[in-house]
Amino acid sequence: MRQLHAAGVSLLAAAVLQLTMVADARGADQRLERGRYLMTSLAACGNCHTPRGPDGASQFDRELSGGPPVKEAPFDAYPSNITPDTKSGIGRWTHAQLKRAIREGIRPDGSLIGPPMPFGFYRGMADADLEAIIAYLGQVKPIDNVPPKSVYRIPLPPAYGPPIKKPIKAPSPNDVVAYGGYLAGPVAHCMECHTPMVKGQVDLNKAGAGGNPFNGPWGTAVSRNLTPHESGLKNWSDAEIEKAIREGVSRDGSRLKPPMGYEYYKSMKPEDMKAIITYLRSLKPLPMGG
Ligand code: HEC
Ligand code: HEC
């Protein structure tokens, strides 16, 4: 009897274990699914880390293997190879090391990752989304490529902030403005490009006012004013804003240039698009450039 009972207990234990494994596998699938969605639509790390052709279009067959240089007065920055190649990519980095690198800008050897990677916003990325992005990174095609070393003509800060120790959760999608702000900030860093800079730092009192120049094979593109001001999106319909974000076509029909990330944003879910537009309409109206 005792033996039978023991067998029953171990059968039960086996069943529980199997259920846990099924739940884990399902959790892993969902994580990768979310990661794929974020990386191919909102987060768009490839907008910097994927190579571009001479016309500025992304070369997705070499996804994340090192992007074109970002040249500004204080630096020539070369976006790293972040494929899982074990020699020249991040294949040997642990999950915890990747978390710290992406959100806090610190490599496994303790060195600081330089600008323009938008750590001011990435520090606010929710654990679940960060983990989803890391799951996606793990299954990208490994490519052996060593980009040149970045040159910084300014001293880098010792860190982008104190170590992140507390869990970070995204706002509820039911709080549309807060969730839109989370997507336009920590996830997609729209506000990094579209907010005026003071000494290389975005000035959040002028959130969304635009005016930052971006140079590349496309010439110079200046980020636009996304606030509800006459010189911004005040008189635009939601459909017009959506068309600019998704298709890269402005209200007057002109084509927008990179690095505005419409190559990615075209895959954004309608509810995320709506949240971002609602958030932009909640911004303080400011003239172009603040
Ligand atoms: C605006 C451009 C930009 C964006 C967007 C960006 N990065 Fe970067 N990233 C860079 C640059 C430039 C470097 C190299 C900086 C240096 O040389 O110190 C870098 C470095 C890194 C490194 C360090 C790699 C190494 O070998 O040292 C990791 C990891 C990384 N990025 C991951 C990401 C992920 C994940 C995302 C999206 C969530 C992302 N980056 C978005 C520009 C960007
Ligand atoms: C890497 C920098 C960068 C990021 C990230 C970025 N943008 Fe842009 N955006 C630009 C630039 C530069 C332009 C202007 C392009 C041009 O003049 O051809 C632009 C143009 C626009 C326009 C067109 C406005 C007009 O007057 O035509 C809208 C709307 C817009 N961005 C919204 C967004 C949203 C929403 C996000 C995030 C989901 C975002 N942008 C992310 C750089 C960026």
Side-chain angles (χ1 to χ4, degrees):
M1 184 65 200
R2 185 177 294 159
Q3 248 170 3
L4 260 182
H5 181 70
V9 168
S10 64
L11 262 180
L12 184 68
V16 168
L17 184 69
Q18 207 168 20
L19 274 180
T20 319
M21 280 163 60
V22 169
D24 278 357
R26 197 172 299 150
D29 285 352
Q30 281 170 353
R31 204 171 304 129
L32 179 57
E33 196 51 37
R34 172 79 179 158
R36 185 181 311 283
Y37 169 62
L38 290 177
M39 290 294 283
T40 56
S41 65
L42 280 155
C45 310
N47 203 28
C48 285
H49 283 278
T50 294
R52 290 181 192 269
D55 54 350
S58 299
Q59 298 179 321
F60 289 110
D61 56 329
R62 292 168 58 218
E63 180 184 15
L64 301 178
S65 64
V70 184
K71 295 192 176 180
E72 290 183 25
F75 54 75
D76 297 340
Y78 292 86
S80 320
N81 175 354
I82 56 168
T83 71
D85 187 70
T86 48
K87 281 214 307 285
S88 58
I90 52 167
R92 287 182 196 281
W93 298 22
T94 66
H95 185 91
Q97 286 172 337
L98 278 168
K99 266 181 103 163
R100 192 162 176 236
I102 298 166
R103 209 158 49 181
E104 299 180 50
I106 300 171
R107 293 189 187 85
D109 67 3
S111 64
L112 200 77
I113 302 170
M117 199 163 142
F119 295 107
F121 283 109
Y122 286 172
R123 284 180 66 82
M125 198 188 287
D127 298 332
D129 285 339
L130 181 59
E131 275 154 20
I133 286 174
I134 293 173
Y136 180 85
L137 289 177
Q139 53 79 65
V140 165
K141 180 172 71 173
I143 292 177
D144 185 4
N145 174 48
V146 184
K149 223 176 140 36
S150 303
V151 179
Y152 293 99
R153 291 175 285 271
I154 36 152
L156 297 182
Y160 296 102
I164 297 173
K165 297 214 171 100
K166 294 212 177 104
I168 303 183
K169 273 190 77 173
S172 159
N174 297 330
D175 186 345
V176 181
V177 172
Y179 192 68
Y182 169 71
L183 295 179
V187 176
H189 74 281
C190 317
M191 305 317 278
E192 176 85 13
C193 291
H194 283 278
T195 299
M197 301 261 175
V198 178
K199 291 195 190 134
Q201 296 269 5
V202 296
D203 179 357
L204 288 177
N205 293 316
K206 298 182 177 168
N212 298 322
F214 294 88
N215 303 314
W218 51 82
T220 300
V222 178
S223 66
R224 309 278 175 101
N225 183 357
L226 304 185
T227 74
H229 183 269
E230 306 285 339
S231 64
L233 304 180
K234 182 175 178 198
N235 300 315
W236 293 44
S237 68
D238 284 6
E240 286 167 340
I241 300 178
E242 172 157 359
K243 185 164 180 179
I245 299 173
R246 228 183 250 294
E247 297 172 33
V249 177
S250 188
R251 192 176 186 225
D252 62 8
S254 62
R255 285 220 60 89
L256 297 168
K257 299 178 199 149
M260 172 59 194
Y262 44 81
E263 284 180 301
Y264 297 85
Y265 307 149
K266 66 172 191 278
S267 321
M268 209 189 293
K269 289 180 189 164
E271 62 270 29
D272 288 350
M273 178 66 74
K274 178 129 191 45
I276 289 183
I277 294 174
T278 309
Y279 165 74
L280 294 178
R281 296 221 189 270
S282 79
L283 292 172
K284 183 166 78 181
L286 291 165
M288 172 78 171

